[in-house]
Amino acid sequence: MKPNVLVIAGHDPSGGAGIHADIEAIHSLGGLPATLITGLTVQNSQNVRGFELVNVDLLERQAEALLDDMNFQAVKIGMTGSPAIIRFIARLLDQLPGVPVVLDPVLAAEAGGSLGAQSVPEALLEHLFPRATVATPNLPEAERLAGVTGVQAAGEVLLRSGCPAVLITGTHDQTEAVHNHLFSAEGVGDWSWPRLPGSFHGSGCTLASACAARLAHGIALEEALTEAQDYVYRTLQNAWQAGRGQLIPDRRG
Ligand code: PLP
């Protein structure tokens, strides 16, 4: 059976990141992506110029319509944009007990440009980290959320937020290979990938959505994370220059 994945994320008109990336990745991995769009961004493959958030009342009505109709096997959260939207998502997650939740705590685009209010990190830590199954920050996001520097220190702080597993990705690091570190109650997991040349638009969104799609199929967390990283690596190997900025991953898998 094709599992339903509830995606709560922002729209990137370039088609590289955000909800486009989520839909493509989940569809490619055999799930149905149902979407609640938190905000519309103004951006291209080069940078973010701004964003506008969707009214919480509209999001609530959309969520109610979906929950009246569908069961969900996983949830993926990307750009949230504001504490009010974060509190709405927390209320929604409380109506989906036992459903795995992948939280990509988006604060800014990889190419630069904020994607949320200043107070988003604090609200994410208070309301969404304790409700998530796994969080997938990149290193700059993890350091900003944790208020410390270094992958080990950030991982330890974020684990204490109540999220049982935190995967910190190393795409933004200066290391020769990309190292992704998993912090969880069971210990630490590590994955390494050859660093591909170029920079990519929507790689974090693709990873979190791929993980949600695998969890929705009932696959255990570490295996879901391994398969999601394999998938992302393939999408990046086949990425292409659609605009003048970052490369766009080919999410056909
Ligand atoms: N969500 C939205 C709506 C975005 O526009 C972006 C980046 O532009 C992101 C998330 C994060 O993208 P990435 O996967 O490159 O970190």
Side-chain angles (χ1 to χ4, degrees), residues 95-223:
Q95 296 175 62
L96 298 168
V99 178
V101 176
V102 182
L103 171 63
D104 181 15
V106 173
L107 303 176
E110 194 173 320
S114 172
L115 289 168
Q118 276 293 326
S119 47
V120 161
E122 210 184 328
L124 284 174
L125 282 172
E126 184 182 347
H127 299 288
L128 297 188
F129 271 74
R131 289 175 168 86
T133 308
V134 60
T136 61
N138 57 39
L139 184 56
E141 285 165 347
E143 291 180 328
R144 186 165 157 208
L145 283 156
V148 295
T149 49
V151 65
Q152 186 66 32
E156 285 168 12
V157 170
L158 293 181
L159 254 195
R160 288 201 291 273
S161 69
C163 185
V166 179
L167 180 77
I168 301 183
T169 60
T171 11
H172 294 66
D173 222 344
Q174 305 303 322
T175 49
E176 197 182 322
V178 174
H179 300 291
N180 296 339
H181 298 276
L182 176 67
F183 297 85
S184 76
E186 285 80 52
V188 176
D190 285 298
W191 291 265
S192 288
W193 302 92
R195 190 175 289 281
L196 294 165
S199 106
F200 303 94
H201 199 49
S203 59
C205 309
T206 308
L207 174 66
S209 281
C211 180
R214 301 321 284 153
L215 290 173
H217 277 98
I219 293 167
L221 182 62
E222 282 222 31
E223 198 184 330

